Amino acid sequence: MNAASFILKGDLCDSLDRERLRTVPDGYLVCLDGLCAGAFSVLPEEYHALPVIDCSGKLILPGLTDLHVHAPQYAFRGLGMDQELMEWLAANVFPEEARYADLAYARRAYRDFTQALTRSATTRACVFATVHRPATELLMDLLEESGLVAFVGKVNMDRDCPDDLRETTDGSVAETRRWLEETAGKYKRVRPILTPRFIPSCTDPLLDELGAMAAMTGLSVQSHLSENRGEVECVRRLRPDTAFYGDAYDRHGLFGSHGRAIMAHCVLSSDEEIARIRERGVYVAHCPQSNTNLASGVAPVRRYWDEGLNLGLGSDVAGGSSLSILRAMADAVQVSKLRWRLQDDSLRPLTVPEAFWMGTAGGGSFFGRVGLFRPGYEFDAVVLDDSRLTAPRPLTVAQRLERAVYLSEDRDVVRKFVQGREVSLPS
Ligand code: GUN
Ligand code: FE
């Protein structure tokens, strides 16, 4: 369906600001040529002629953004969760990712991933593929077809991984260039993003080349930062020339100085690193479920929040076992409570409206004017049928939203719109 002009009628909920929800019970959400024209409790005269899609009694939320997810890891979600990061990568991630040299395997696995993402409440995602160029292009084709909006990265790694996954430095650079050439201008909704896996996987010459590409093209960058103790120690050993982990990206121009950068995790970031993240406008992708599964710890998100860092939520499948960003909101609140109680009572727990903001407006801002029902924002909306979550008395829209965060499932998503186009939901 082409981007059209229409009205969604239902119980609207987005963020009023970073701390508060805005709800419009039985409201009208107006889409004009793919852009939001506003959320109204009384429909303005000028829109009376537009067709109405009646979703009365259902929750209508901004589409959710997954700022950090690994498409090839969807295949083994929920497996191998009894290890920490570095052991888990060697035992589970690298052997699975090596399979994506086989395009037939990649097609099966990426079809599953794309269907699951399409079925969820997520409308936008920043996605890691693998080192394999053909499979990465296949993933981009599938995501484009789905109607979702995504940044997709061909992963770069030229050290410290099994032979069947490791690229040569020159090979990694050449394949990245070819990938960018082959996909240039090919898609409407899918864009490439430079994706050095993390510092332990990338030599200095490779990072130099990727930094030069970022400088020349203005492409954004996604990677991992200060996730887990073993990893941070490894980076300290590998890069004694750097002041802190993030400095290793920054020295190569991969930390928001050219295109923008998303760094997943930032659980163990030092004061200096946090200051650099702020200075460079780097996005922090908070991935609470992954950080729990891999025993990485709990990121000091309240501090990042108070310091005004760019913040969004990531599923980090398969570090996280669930693709759901609603689930990530609940996890973010829950782990912040444990951190507050057990680790540092100076950092107040997050609230549901704050976590909701992170999963909508916070992450959405990486894509532009996305994640709010404000005039001029891209029209991304999810219709949730929360009637399964019964109650013996009427609940407010805000209460229903809170319950949806904790309890809703993909099957409750009944319609989904991205840039004003309806996405067809797999059954
Ligand atoms: N660091 C480097 N690679 C990965 C990965 O695949 N998952 C997670 N969670 N951290 C990483
Ligand atoms: Fe990750």
Side-chain angles (χ1 to χ4, degrees):
M1 176 171 140
N2 283 332
S5 300
F6 60 92
I7 293 162
L8 268 188
K9 185 170 190 296
D11 298 320
L12 314 180
C13 183
D14 71 341
S15 295
L16 181 64
D17 54 32
R18 294 202 318 161
E19 279 82 27
R20 288 176 297 175
L21 300 176
R22 169 182 67 160
T23 61
V24 187
D26 209 15
Y28 301 86
L29 185 63
V30 178
C31 176
L32 289 182
D33 289 332
L35 294 181
C36 183
F40 307 96
S41 50
V42 177
L43 188 65
E45 201 52 59
E46 59 195 295
Y47 303 128
H48 277 196
L50 292 179
V52 176
I53 300 176
D54 189 0
C55 302
S56 295
K58 301 190 172 57
L59 286 171
I60 302 177
L61 317 176
L64 310 185
T65 292
D66 189 341
L67 262 195
H68 182 78
V69 59
H70 298 261
Q73 297 179 18
Y74 184 72
F76 67 94
R77 64 200 181 283
L79 288 175
M81 302 269 65
D82 294 328
Q83 286 157 316
E84 287 202 42
L85 176 64
M86 300 307 266
E87 298 75 36
W88 175 75
L89 287 172
N92 297 280
V93 174
F94 294 156
E96 179 65 23
E97 291 196 4
R99 296 179 189 274
Y100 290 73
D102 173 358
L103 259 188
Y105 186 84
R107 182 168 285 110
R108 288 200 301 280
Y110 282 158
R111 214 179 260 152
D112 282 357
F113 167 76
T114 304
Q115 281 204 356
L117 196 66
T118 307
R119 196 76 204 64
S120 78
T122 296
T123 48
R124 311 221 173 197
C126 297
V127 185
F128 280 54
T130 62
V131 294
H132 310 97
R133 178 185 45 74
T136 303
E137 293 183 18
L138 173 70
L139 174 62
M140 293 170 87
D141 293 347
L142 291 169
L143 284 167
E144 173 78 6
E145 261 169 51
S146 76
L148 305 182
V149 176
F151 283 100
V152 175
K154 178 214 148 338
V155 171
N156 299 97
M157 26 196 324
D158 69 341
R159 73 172 170 198
D160 280 359
C161 58
D163 291 347
D164 57 356
L165 209 51
R166 189 172 56 247
E167 305 172 290
T168 62
T169 307
D170 290 348
S172 186
V173 172
E175 285 293 274
T176 303
R177 289 214 177 97
R178 184 165 163 200
W179 164 59
L180 294 175
E181 281 160 22
E182 288 186 357
T183 55
K186 186 171 171 193
Y187 305 110
K188 290 210 271 296
R189 291 174 289 276
V190 176
R191 299 273 176 273
I193 181 166
L194 295 173
T195 306
R197 177 170 218 118
F198 67 160
I199 293 295
S201 299
C202 300
T203 62
D204 291 16
L206 176 57
L207 295 173
D208 276 337
E209 290 283 353
L210 293 174
M213 271 185 226
M216 204 153 76
T217 59
L219 285 175
S220 297
V221 174
Q222 59 180 355
S223 195
H224 297 91
L225 179 62
S226 297
E227 174 179 1
N228 186 282
R229 278 188 208 166
E231 170 215 21
V232 171
E233 275 159 28
C234 174
V235 172
R236 205 171 284 140
R237 274 198 311 276
L238 286 167
R239 296 298 301 269
D241 57 311
T242 57
F244 49 89
Y245 189 162
D247 187 40
Y249 295 111
D250 203 20
R251 282 176 187 234
H252 303 277
L254 294 166
F255 209 61
S257 52
H258 302 300
R260 287 168 313 154
I262 304 172
M263 290 288 150
H265 308 301
C266 305
V267 173
L268 303 169
S269 295
S270 63
D271 292 349
E272 270 181 297
E273 183 162 281
I274 294 168
R276 190 77 60 87
I277 289 170
R278 185 177 346 96
E279 210 175 294
R280 297 271 189 261
V282 168
Y283 274 72
V284 174
H286 177 44
C287 307
Q289 196 180 72
S290 170
N291 298 154
T292 304
N293 284 336
L294 298 174
S296 298
V298 184
V301 176
R302 170 62 65 198
R303 174 169 177 191
Y304 299 162
W305 182 269
D306 289 344
E307 295 195 18
L309 303 194
N310 289 319
L311 265 175
L313 294 173
S315 67
D316 193 28
V317 158
S321 4
S322 167
L323 260 187
S324 168
I325 294 299
L326 288 165
R327 169 75 196 264
M329 293 175 191
D331 289 337
V333 171
Q334 290 177 327
V335 301
S336 75
K337 290 178 180 170
L338 292 177
R339 192 181 196 286
W340 174 62
R341 190 60 81 203
L342 299 173
Q343 187 176 340
D344 177 1
D345 66 7
S346 75
L347 294 181
R348 274 183 304 121
L350 296 174
T351 65
V352 168
E354 288 168 342
F356 179 74
W357 182 92
M358 286 170 52
T360 53
S365 68
F366 188 78
F367 290 82
R369 290 161 72 80
V370 171
L372 293 169
F373 293 150
R374 300 247 175 95
Y377 273 64
E378 294 186 49
F379 191 95
D380 289 13
V382 173
V383 182
L384 273 187
D385 179 354
D386 62 336
S387 58
R388 217 172 40 80
L389 309 175
T390 56
R393 58 187 167 82
L395 298 179
T396 65
V397 174
Q399 287 173 322
R400 286 166 53 206
L401 180 273
E402 181 167 0
R403 277 191 142 192
V405 164
Y406 281 94
L407 293 167
S408 71
E409 296 173 8
D410 288 352
R411 63 185 157 132
D412 304 325
V413 175
V414 290
R415 300 185 85 153
K416 188 153 117 170
F417 299 82
V418 183
Q419 296 176 326
R421 286 182 200 85
E422 183 155 18
V423 167
S424 80
L425 300 175
S427 46

